[in-house]
Every structure is written in structure tokens, then in C-alpha cells.
């Protein structure tokens, strides 16, 4: 781990114990009821890993649920002075995810036998084995060289790897095997799709022929990728409405996941992922402005670290935000870490209100 934040956060939240059996709840319902006593968000980490390990029973996109809870845990560590209204807003989003209000759980997999809430329940108690964690990276490697579903293969794997590297007491065979199975669902999947207007409709990214001279920024390392993505955020124009490839939210979160992979020691894998990230960005930039058809972007008056964001009632409502709001708060902070340009970071953060 090369970031001071990793070390300080690990020290602050690991002191409570290292035996999985003492940390898992007696029942998920009992622990959920006692959520208010969870001052450091540790239970979100546990629930998130459980949900990632079970997501393959629903679909690859069901990984959103567990990843959002892990992000919630880390956001509280990144920003210990969020304030009660912001923290309560985040917790409310996560509660709604666990209650089944996300669009990415059972609603996408109507034949699934598991409910969204069941994803978070404890797995069988097993001895942890830290050496198994590399298996997630090995599974991710099979889909790393092309963008897959707006980068979600990298995003979900990175959340799992980071959480398990910092808390190896959770690296049980059941957790690792489940997340490996989730990674296999991304093999052969497309980069996602984009909306190219009424005449063309939605087109999957592997069918798009990108122009060689498309003016997309060049980058082949993490600092340059981070700088390019921040520039992209700063250059947003609310009158330009693009639809597809996960939007700029996923451009940010995909890049943050790559940076975390590198920090976790998978520098070769991260380097390969940077190249696929640039393809992701180029596909998003290829989308036309459909504001005449879809209307202008809905824009919040506040960024999500401001209490008014959660209390004003003016935030554009989108069910997908339940799993993306906290992930993007986390992802932006991770992405900005390698770039030593405070003014650029602040300018880019101010434009998050265009996304959330």
C-alpha cells in the first residue's frame, strides 16, 4: 500500500479484532437493526463482501450492491468529518440498497432465487487464507484488456481486492470463490452500449469504429489517466447530454479502480487496464449530444459533501444513484490522489453536481 490513507484507515478500523467469527452478525436482521451502533461502518464492509460473493447468482451487474456498501465504509474513512446530515444521507442510500430498491439486483434477474437482502447475509464461517486473494486478480485478468460493461469488471474486483488486502480475515474460500465466479461473468461481454440518436439507437461499443484522430487525450500511466479524467470532468457542459457507456460517473470510477489495483500491488494488471480505460473514454466521447431529444442534463445545486445536497430535496432522483452516489464520492477521492494539482481537483469536484 503506497497511500498514507490506506495505512491510517487500516490502523483505525482493524483494532477491533481479526477473527471472522467474532465480527459476523448472529443474524443479518439483528445486525441491520443495530446498524446505528456501527460508528466506523465496518459492517458495511462485511455485508458488501458477502453481496459481491453472491452476486453471480443474479447477474454481473448485481455486483453494484456489494460494491456500494464497501464504498460506504471507505467514504466514512476518507472523510471522517462529513457531518451528520451527509453521513445519514449515505446510510439511507445503503439501507435502500439492502432493502431491494436498487435497479441492479433481483429486478434485473427475475428468475433468481435470491432476494437483494439475502445477498448480504453471512456466509458459512471458514478459516481465512490471505493467499487466496490473488485468485480474484487472476480471474479479472481474463477480461482486463478490453472495457467490459463500462469497466464494472475492474470496479467490482478492485473493491473486493482492496477490502480483502486490508482485512485478510475476510478472505475465506467462500468469499474468494464467489467473487471469482462474478469475474467470469464479464468474460466476452461488450464495453456496454451508447445511444447514438433516434436513427441509430443504442449500439454496443464493440461495433463502433472510432476515428484514429478523435482528439481523445493520450495516456498510458495512472497519473496521466487521472489528470485526463479530471480535465474531462472540468470540461463538462450541462448543455451537452450524452447517454451511454455508464457516463462520466463510470469513467471516474473505472479509473479509480485501476489506481487502487496498482496500490494493492497489481501494477502490471493496472497498466493493462489503463489502456482499456482509454478505450472506454474514447467510446464515451464518441457519443452525440442528444439534448434536443432527451433534454439538458439535470444538475444539482450542491456537491454531495454539502449537507444541503441531502436535505434540499432538489437532487435529481435516479434509482441508479442508490448504488452510484457513494461509489462516485469514493472514486473521485481515489482518482485525485495521484494528481498533485489541488486547483484542478477542486474544479473537477465542483462539477460532480452535474453527475449526481
Amino acid at each position: 500500500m503506497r497511500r498514507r490513507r490506506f495505512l491510517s484507515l487500516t490502523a483505525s478500523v482493524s483494532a477491533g479484532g481479526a477473527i471472522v467469527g467474532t465480527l459476523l452478525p448472529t443474524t443479518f436482521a439483528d445486525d441491520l437493526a443495530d446498524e446505528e451502533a456501527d460508528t466506523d461502518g465496518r459492517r458495511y464492509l462485511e455485508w458488501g463482501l458477502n453481496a459481491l460473493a453472491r452476486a453471480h447468482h443474479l447477474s454481473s451487474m448485481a455486483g453494484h450492491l456489494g460494491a456500494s456498501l464497501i464504498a460506504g465504509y471507505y467514504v466514512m474513512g476518507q472523510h471522517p468529518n462529513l457531518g451528520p446530515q451527509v453521513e445519514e444521507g449515505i446510510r439511507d442510500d445503503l439501507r435502500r440498497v439492502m432493502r431491494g430498491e436498487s435497479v441492479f439486483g433481483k429486478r434485473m434477474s427475475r428468475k433468481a432465487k435470491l432476494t437483494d437482502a439475502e445477498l448480504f447475509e453471512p456466509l458459512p464461517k471458514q478459516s481465512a487464507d490471505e493467499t487466496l486473494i490473488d485468485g480474484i486478480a487472476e480471474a479479472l485478468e481474463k477480461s482486463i484488456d478490453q472495457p467490459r460493461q463500462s469497466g464494472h469488471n475492474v470496479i467490482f474486483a478492485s473493491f473486493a481486492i482492496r477490502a480483502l488486502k486490508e482485512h485478510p480475515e475476510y478472505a475465506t474460500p467462500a468469499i474468494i470463490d464467489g467473487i471469482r465466479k462474478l469475474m467470469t461473468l464479464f468474460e466476452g461481454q461488450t464495453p456496454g452500449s451508447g445511444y447514438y440518436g433516434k436513427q441509430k439507437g443504442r449500439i454496443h461499443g464493440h461495433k463502433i469504429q472510432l476515428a484514429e484522430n478523435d482528439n481523445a487525450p493520450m495516456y498510458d500511466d495512472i497519473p496521466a489517466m487521472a489528470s485526463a479524467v479530471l480535465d474531462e470532468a472540468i470540461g463538462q457542459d450541462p448543455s451537452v447530454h450524452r447517454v451511454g457507456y455508464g457516463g462520466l460517473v463510470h469513467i471516474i470510477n473505472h479509473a479509480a479502480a485501476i489506481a487502487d489495483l496498482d496500490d494493492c500491488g497489481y501494477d502490471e494488471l493496472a497498466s493493462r487496464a489503463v489502456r482499456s480505460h482509454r478505450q472506454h473514454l474514447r467510446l464515451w466521447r464518441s457519443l452525440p449530444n442528444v439534448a434536443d431529444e432527451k433534454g439538458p442534463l439535470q444538475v444539482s445545486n450542491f456537491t454531495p459533501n454539502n449537507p444541503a445536497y441531502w436535505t434540499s430535496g432538489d437532487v435529481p432522483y435516479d434509482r441508479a444513484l442508490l448504488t452510484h452516489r457513494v461509489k462516485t464520492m469514493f472514486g473521485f477521492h481515489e482518482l485525485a490522489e495521484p494528481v498533485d494539482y489541488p486547483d484542478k481537483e477542486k474544479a473537477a469536484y465542483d462539477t460532480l453536481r452535474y453527475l449526481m
Side-chain angles (χ1 to χ4, degrees):
M1 304 293 177
R2 289 192 287 278
R3 301 184 191 186
R4 287 180 297 170
R5 184 172 62 257
F6 274 45
L7 297 174
S8 62
L9 179 60
T10 303
S12 67
V13 299
S14 294
I19 301 173
V20 173
T22 67
L23 294 170
L24 291 174
T26 303
T27 69
F28 176 66
D30 289 344
D31 207 31
L32 186 59
D34 194 35
E35 179 212 13
E36 293 301 326
D38 184 26
T39 56
D40 65 10
R42 181 69 171 267
R43 287 170 183 159
Y44 291 129
L45 182 79
E46 300 172 19
W47 294 333
L49 285 168
N50 292 340
L52 277 179
R54 286 195 179 94
H56 66 93
H57 290 296
L58 275 67
S59 71
S60 62
M61 292 295 96
H64 279 89
L65 282 69
S68 66
L69 265 73
I70 296 173
Y73 164 73
Y74 279 119
V75 164
M76 293 176 194
Q78 285 174 335
H79 306 285
N81 300 313
L82 281 172
Q85 292 170 315
V86 176
E87 183 174 321
E88 177 56 28
I90 291 171
R91 287 182 183 269
D92 185 61
D93 271 6
L94 301 183
R95 292 186 199 108
R96 291 167 65 187
V97 169
M98 291 187 284
R99 286 200 301 262
E101 295 183 37
S102 166
V103 297
F104 296 106
K106 189 175 177 63
R107 297 184 188 193
M108 294 187 72
S109 312
R110 298 186 185 280
K111 294 182 181 180
K113 296 180 181 179
L114 294 177
T115 65
D116 289 10
E118 288 172 326
L119 294 178
F120 302 97
E121 292 182 352
L123 289 160
K125 294 182 181 180
Q126 297 175 322
S127 297
D129 182 353
E130 187 173 0
T131 66
L132 297 176
I133 299 172
D134 286 346
I136 299 174
E138 291 169 3
L140 173 63
E141 186 176 12
K142 297 177 182 179
S143 65
I144 199 70
D145 291 315
Q146 297 291 329
R148 310 285 184 181
Q149 294 287 51
S150 304
H152 280 107
N153 57 333
V154 183
I155 293 168
F156 297 157
S158 180
F159 270 115
I161 288 170
R162 175 173 173 174
L164 292 169
K165 285 279 187 177
E166 295 185 5
H167 299 280
E169 64 271 22
Y170 297 116
T172 64
I175 291 285
I176 303 295
D177 182 60
I179 295 170
R180 285 180 62 108
K181 288 177 180 177
L182 175 61
M183 290 299 102
T184 65
L185 298 182
F186 288 99
E187 295 174 25
Q189 289 196 13
T190 75
S193 64
Y195 182 68
Y196 287 86
K198 284 184 179 180
Q199 290 187 338
K200 295 182 178 180
R202 275 199 171 264
I203 304 175
H204 282 277
H206 67 292
K207 296 181 178 179
I208 298 298
Q209 185 68 41
L210 294 169
E212 290 188 15
N213 299 319
D214 59 3
N215 295 318
M218 294 292 299
Y219 51 85
D220 58 9
D221 60 34
I222 289 172
M225 173 186 68
S227 182
V229 175
L230 293 179
D231 285 339
E232 204 69 33
I234 292 168
Q236 285 183 96
D237 179 348
S239 69
V240 176
H241 192 170
R242 297 182 175 115
V243 178
Y245 305 117
L248 194 54
V249 160
H250 288 91
I251 300 292
I252 291 170
N253 291 338
H254 188 185
I258 294 168
D260 272 1
L261 278 181
D262 185 71
D263 276 326
C264 286
Y266 301 100
D267 50 345
E268 182 179 350
L269 194 62
S271 180
R272 290 165 60 182
V274 168
R275 294 192 290 272
S276 65
H277 182 277
R278 184 170 182 269
Q279 181 76 355
H280 184 184
L281 177 62
R282 293 179 69 204
L283 284 167
W284 181 72
R285 287 169 62 105
S286 76
L287 293 168
N289 181 6
V290 293
D292 288 346
E293 179 184 345
K294 301 287 188 180
L297 285 177
Q298 290 183 301
V299 175
S300 172
N301 291 322
F302 309 99
T303 51
N305 64 336
N306 188 323
Y309 176 90
W310 304 92
T311 61
S312 67
D314 293 332
V315 177
Y317 179 67
D318 179 345
R319 288 179 300 167
L321 283 178
L322 286 181
T323 55
H324 288 99
R325 201 154 22 203
V326 65
K327 289 211 303 291
T328 306
M329 291 177 71
F330 164 82
F332 181 89
H333 193 80
E334 290 300 285
L335 179 64
E337 180 76 10
V339 184
D340 189 20
Y341 302 123
D343 291 343
K344 177 182 286 192
E345 179 179 348
K346 182 179 184 302
Y349 189 83
D350 286 344
T351 66
L352 283 187
R353 62 193 183 88
Y354 297 168
L355 308 179
M356 297 192 285

